[in-house]
Amino acid sequence: MGDCQTRQPDNPSSEVAVEITDSMNLCSPTTPSSLSIFHEDILLAILSFVADTPFEIVGGDNPTCGRSTLTHTLPLVSKQFYRLTKEHDIFWENALLRLVKKESMWEDGMRRFVFDSKCDKIRSDILERNHNRNRRDKRTKNNRLQEQRVQAEVDASSQMSTTSNVDNLKSDNTDNTAKEEALLQQACDAVEAFPPHNFASCSGVHQCIYKSIVHDHLRYQGPVFYMPSAIRLGSPYGLHFFEPRYRLLMSEVMAPYPVSARRGERISPMVPSLLPPSNNLRQNGDDDDIKADLLNVLEQNQSLLGKYHLPTFIHAHQSPLRKNTPATIVQVRQCMVSRDGSADVYLEPIAYVWIDQVFERPGTGGLYEARGIRMGKEASEAYERWCGMAHLSMGDGRGRAQQLPIP
């Protein structure tokens, strides 16, 4: 009988665990999931219909929130979705095409990205030229003439191609989709020619472009002038700054510009190290190729220079001064600073923003700094309608807690 007896387990729960493990191994499903039957390209196309990106849908109770299905929802569904959203750049490409077609704000942002990339490339060329100039041997006159001749041919060909691209973008007979794709291709070429600092952390070129537009264009940070008033985009108005904190504001905003800009004269656009022209460029013909590139870039972006390269700050004209409160980016068109530091300024509102963060700067006598997100066209129009009703004391029936009829 000793041979026929089986040893009982010391712990009864261990026997149950063995049975459960065996049943899981025998009954584990071998059939693939419903999503695995699709090819990856088909799955990417399906997900692209629901993969909205940060700040693509702006509005609601928290317009400054950057949450989206692509970054905060789909990656949590499954490991497969997480891999697709992190490794593939097609979602960001589709989002850029949608937003550029829908909002002029995003088109301006992409044009600014291309312009800034070209300016960074020119700055890099100037630094490299000056560095190599101190080390290279003196060239003979014939070699220099030959190099200039070859460079002139290259510049002529590149100028023709650039002009052709601009003409294609501005042609009325060109399809809108082709314009958007052409503009996006220019942005991609700019990334490849001079990769930005955030390129390494992105899944691809299009995500890098998207992040750059959000960081450098949609977001805006600057000093705050607070005074309740009625403001409309494109309607200039004048102010007199006499408080010490606002004297400091104007001195900081106007500091990069020449003295003439603070004496009531016309304020010209300024690009750091490039406009006005840098003293690092020689006048003897050695840097004519860089000067030609710079002149072409500036001539092709006159509208951007006049809109985004003049002194600006935030005029907070709604209360309370806190997160998600609307404010306005105003541009200084004319400035007259007196001897005592007070200033008479002529301002033009250029964009509305939702305040995201606001804080008081220490040692400034109460000067605030704010960071905000630009409103799109529809939101700006809705906000102006609400301001018009509020000015007439009509309201919209929703009260100040839900202040904006913004989609």
Side-chain angles (χ1 to χ4, degrees):
M1 290 181 62
D3 296 338
C4 297
Q5 290 180 351
T6 58
R7 183 176 180 272
Q8 296 296 327
D10 297 335
N11 187 2
S13 61
S14 62
E15 182 179 2
V16 177
V18 171
E19 293 178 356
I20 293 176
T21 305
D22 294 339
S23 63
M24 290 178 62
N25 292 334
L26 293 174
C27 301
S28 60
T30 58
T31 57
S33 64
S34 57
L35 294 176
S36 62
I37 64 176
F38 294 105
H39 191 273
E40 188 171 283
D41 293 340
I42 298 177
L43 192 57
L44 290 173
I46 295 173
L47 293 179
S48 63
F49 285 96
V50 296
D52 62 85
T53 51
F55 304 111
E56 182 174 358
I57 303 175
V58 181
D61 297 332
N62 191 12
T64 59
C65 178
R67 299 180 66 87
S68 67
T69 57
L70 179 58
T71 57
H72 294 81
T73 303
L74 291 179
L76 304 179
V77 174
S78 65
K79 292 183 178 180
Q80 184 182 18
F81 280 20
Y82 179 85
R83 180 182 61 82
L84 292 177
T85 55
K86 296 299 181 182
E87 294 181 357
H88 290 276
D89 201 38
I90 187 173
F91 303 112
W92 302 98
E93 179 183 3
N94 294 337
L96 286 171
L97 292 175
R98 289 195 305 266
L99 290 168
V100 171
K101 181 178 181 180
K102 179 182 178 181
E103 278 283 359
S104 59
M105 174 180 64
W106 283 87
E107 182 179 354
D108 285 351
M110 191 171 296
R111 293 185 183 278
R112 285 188 68 185
F113 174 79
V114 175
F115 174 73
D116 293 341
S117 298
K118 291 181 179 179
C119 290
D120 291 340
K121 181 64 168 59
I122 293 176
R123 293 189 189 98
S124 177
D125 292 342
I126 293 175
L127 292 176
E128 184 178 1
R129 180 72 59 85
N130 291 332
H131 178 71
N132 293 335
R133 182 178 287 129
N134 297 328
R135 301 177 58 184
R136 67 189 178 187
D137 296 332
K138 186 178 180 180
R139 296 175 179 172
T140 61
K141 182 177 180 180
N142 292 334
N143 290 339
R144 183 177 302 172
L145 293 176
Q146 180 66 21
E147 287 182 359
Q148 291 179 358
R149 190 178 301 109
V150 173
Q151 187 64 40
E153 296 176 357
V154 173
D155 292 341
S157 61
S158 62
Q159 183 176 0
M160 292 178 60
S161 62
T162 304
T163 306
S164 177
N165 291 335
V166 174
D167 292 341
N168 290 335
L169 286 175
K170 295 183 178 180
S171 176
D172 296 334
N173 298 327
T174 306
D175 185 70
N176 290 332
T177 303
K179 292 182 180 180
E180 297 148 10
E181 293 178 351
L183 181 58
L184 182 57
Q185 184 59 45
Q186 289 187 19
C188 294
D189 295 340
V191 172
E192 294 177 358
F194 196 82
H197 63 277
N198 63 346
F199 182 73
S201 61
C202 299
S203 62
V205 175
H206 299 96
Q207 186 183 9
C208 175
I209 297 172
Y210 196 99
K211 284 186 175 182
S212 298
I213 293 176
V214 170
H215 182 270
D216 299 330
H217 180 68
L218 261 65
R219 295 190 183 276
Y220 177 85
Q221 181 171 338
V224 177
F225 168 72
Y226 179 71
M227 186 182 74
S229 58
I231 295 179
R232 295 183 66 89
L233 297 183
S235 299
Y237 61 98
L239 290 175
H240 176 69
F241 289 154
F242 59 91
E243 294 186 39
R245 54 178 175 173
Y246 297 137
R247 297 182 187 181
L248 176 62
L249 182 150
M250 288 307 303
S251 64
E252 291 181 353
V253 167
M254 301 301 298
Y257 293 84
V259 177
S260 60
R262 298 188 288 274
R263 295 179 177 174
E265 299 183 11
R266 178 177 177 270
I267 302 176
S268 300
M270 192 179 102
V271 181
S273 303
L274 297 180
L275 188 67
S278 172
N279 295 328
N280 294 327
L281 296 177
R282 290 191 174 184
Q283 304 296 328
N284 58 0
D286 290 347
D287 298 328
D288 286 349
D289 54 338
I290 297 181
K291 293 180 182 179
D293 292 340
L294 176 59
L295 182 61
N296 291 334
V297 171
L298 296 178
E299 287 181 349
Q300 294 168 8
N301 296 274
Q302 288 294 327
S303 60
L304 294 181
L305 291 173
K307 192 173 182 180
Y308 299 108
H309 290 270
L310 290 173
T312 56
F313 60 91
I314 295 177
H315 183 173
H317 51 94
Q318 294 286 350
S319 60
L321 187 59
R322 64 183 182 186
K323 183 180 177 68
N324 296 329
T325 299
T328 305
I329 302 175
V330 293
Q331 192 176 75
V332 182
R333 307 297 297 184
Q334 193 173 10
C335 176
M336 175 66 75
V337 181
S338 304
R339 292 183 178 180
D340 60 355
S342 61
D344 295 296
V345 295
Y346 190 63
L347 308 173
E348 181 177 353
I350 59 173
Y352 295 124
V353 295
W354 282 291
I355 293 179
D356 185 21
Q357 296 178 353
V358 59
F359 56 92
E360 182 179 352
R361 291 167 48 182
T364 59
L367 180 62
Y368 283 84
E369 183 107 358
R371 181 185 183 190
I373 299 292
R374 293 178 185 265
M375 292 187 190
K377 182 179 179 181
E378 294 182 2
S380 298
E381 293 175 351
Y383 174 58
E384 287 191 342
R385 288 196 300 268
W386 181 87
C387 289
M389 291 187 292
H391 180 67
L392 297 175
S393 301
M394 296 174 60
D396 60 355
R398 289 192 261 185
R400 185 64 182 88
Q402 300 178 359
Q403 57 181 15
L404 300 179
I406 293 178

